[in-house]
Amino acid sequence: MCGLGCNFVGYGNEKVAQAIIKNVYAGYSHSLPTVHEVEAAEKLKQLFPFVDLFKFTKTGTLACDAAVRIARAHTGRDLVLSEGYHGHGDDFVSMTPPAVGVPKREWMAKLAHDFSNIDETVACVIVEPVIVDDSRERISWLNGLRKACDRYGVLLVFDEVITGFRYRKYGVCNNYGVLPDLICLGKAMANGMPLAAVGGKSHVMSGDYFISSTYGGEILSLAACQAVCDIIMKDHDYDHNYLLRAGADFRDRFNALGGPVKIRGYETRGVFEGSPEEIALFFQEMGRAKVIFCKSWFFNWHLAKHTDEVLKIADEALLRISKGSVQLKYPLPVVPFAAKEREKDERR
């Protein structure tokens, strides 16, 4: 489960923990900006060299909300087009039926897959560049999206809250050279500490807008972020290419088991596919063996050490399901309406 994606270098990673402990007695949140913000931003820029400036928030939701506000301030336009999941901010929830508790917003709309609703009235387009589909067709689509945005002076925002750090070359943008005007990061960047960021070119980030957070400069999370950056850039025990190979190996070997449940996705993140009953049975049987999964599959270095063991248990569980020798002990989990909407995007 990897902490829903935020656990990247291991629960209780010693280097991350030491970075936090080192700063505990200096106070956590200060009235004025600290050097920790600058140092964390500089390390992030080493991973995302197309970014000039970063602004820190505490959650991916807030980073996406901030990116939209920055884009509107920069362009002087209101309309935002969206594809994918970008948190629980009211603007984005308004597009997720039945949007309980959120009035309809005429300034938010879903992006047409053929880009036909991108025009000079749009402030920005925000997408998850890769959810689980990173096919050649998807990347070609991203290149087309970049060109469509450029044609009308629309800012392109990549929500890489999940793919950031996890994907090849630490991000979809880096790997394919499709560079957004703004990027949102979170989850893995502080290994579970509450931290997210929005970054972009200085002429976009330096505009007039209001984004403020009492805890945005909280130093323990910033220290954790610096430690994560150092680990993945310098520590040979956390070789990123090894992680990608190990994740692909787990996914491919799992799918080769021939059971009714499969994993679809890239090397460190995917989704389990099968009927609701089969997936629930699989989770139940794995849980009985003390292996916990959730609908989203995440992978990290520590899980790689247990690949053979977990696959053996999975093979036995899938065989029992295929034979019909196990039954669900509890009702099927209830899927929230937001999750149902997200699954529609993931099936694209």
Side-chain angles (χ1 to χ4, degrees):
M1 296 174 73
C2 294
L4 300 180
C6 67
N7 181 284
F8 192 48
V9 295
Y11 294 107
N13 179 279
E14 183 177 356
K15 292 183 178 180
V16 176
Q18 288 300 322
I20 294 171
I21 291 169
K22 180 180 177 181
N23 290 281
V24 162
Y25 298 105
Y28 316 139
S29 296
H30 300 81
S31 303
L32 300 175
T34 68
V35 68
H36 302 280
E37 293 180 61
V38 178
E39 292 173 346
E42 289 298 329
K43 289 186 184 297
L44 288 176
K45 286 170 63 177
Q46 293 180 52
L47 297 174
F48 301 91
F50 68 93
V51 174
D52 293 329
L53 298 172
F54 279 101
K55 182 172 284 291
F56 292 103
T57 70
K58 301 309 289 179
T59 69
T61 291
L62 291 175
C64 291
D65 289 349
V68 165
R69 188 175 304 167
I70 293 168
R72 285 177 170 144
H74 180 76
T75 62
R77 307 170 184 175
D78 295 334
L79 181 59
V80 172
L81 304 179
S82 171
E83 184 210 55
Y85 176 79
H86 309 292
H88 61 84
D90 282 358
D91 274 357
F92 297 109
V93 171
S94 71
M95 296 185 294
T96 307
V100 176
V102 180
K104 183 174 176 57
R105 284 160 156 72
E106 65 275 9
W107 55 85
M108 299 292 297
K110 291 199 172 184
L111 171 66
H113 192 69
D114 63 358
F115 317 136
S116 58
N117 56 348
I118 298 178
D119 58 29
E120 63 279 350
T121 68
V122 177
C124 72
V125 174
I126 180 169
V127 302
E128 289 181 274
V130 167
I131 300 178
V132 293
D133 175 19
D134 61 353
S135 64
R136 183 175 301 175
E137 291 76 16
R138 176 65 180 183
I139 306 311
S140 176
W141 184 85
L142 290 175
N143 276 288
L145 176 59
R146 174 72 273 180
K147 292 175 183 176
C149 288
D150 289 341
R151 188 176 306 123
Y152 293 101
V154 175
L155 295 192
L156 177 58
V157 183
F158 275 5
D159 175 354
E160 296 221 43
V161 168
I162 294 178
T163 50
F165 289 75
R166 287 192 164 277
Y167 200 76
R168 298 165 218 148
K169 296 184 180 179
Y170 312 117
V172 176
C173 54
N174 291 335
N175 193 63
Y176 297 107
V178 184
L179 302 182
D181 300 292
L182 293 167
I183 184 171
C184 302
L185 300 170
K187 288 192 180 285
M189 68 183 287
N191 205 51
M193 291 293 284
L195 190 67
V198 55
K201 292 296 184 183
S202 57
H203 71 280
V204 176
M205 293 291 294
S206 299
D208 292 327
Y209 53 83
F210 182 72
I211 294 172
S212 179
S213 172
T214 298
Y215 302 110
E218 174 262 306
I219 66 173
L220 302 187
S221 297
L222 292 166
C225 175
Q226 292 183 60
V228 170
C229 291
D230 284 339
I231 288 169
I232 64 175
M233 288 191 291
K234 302 175 183 178
D235 193 327
H236 295 300
D237 290 333
Y238 292 87
D239 179 74
H240 204 261
N241 289 325
Y242 165 77
L243 176 65
L244 296 172
R245 291 193 300 271
D249 177 65
F250 183 97
R251 177 199 60 200
D252 295 345
R253 288 170 61 189
F254 179 90
N255 290 338
L257 295 175
V261 178
K262 305 290 185 183
I263 295 173
R264 182 169 67 91
Y266 54 89
E267 298 92 337
T268 59
R269 195 255 168 154
V271 293
F272 285 98
E273 292 189 333
S275 73
E277 293 79 9
E278 289 164 340
I279 292 174
L281 273 171
F282 176 66
F283 289 173
Q284 171 185 286
E285 294 304 295
M286 295 301 289
R288 290 176 58 187
K290 297 182 173 57
V291 179
I292 306 300
F293 283 117
C294 68
K295 187 66 186 295
S296 288
W297 169 77
F298 290 101
F299 198 78
N300 66 13
W301 284 274
H302 291 266
L303 293 176
K305 299 176 182 178
H306 302 284
T307 289
D308 291 342
E309 177 186 2
V310 171
L311 288 176
K312 182 177 184 299
I313 296 170
D315 189 27
E316 294 169 352
L318 291 169
L319 183 61
R320 291 195 296 272
I321 295 169
S322 296
K323 288 182 175 180
S325 59
V326 291
Q327 302 294 323
L328 275 176
K329 293 188 175 182
Y330 304 97
L332 284 174
V334 176
V335 180
F337 70 87
K340 292 177 182 176
E341 191 70 12
R342 181 176 175 83
E343 285 178 1
K344 293 179 185 177
D345 288 324
E346 290 176 338
R347 287 195 290 270
R348 290 176 181 169

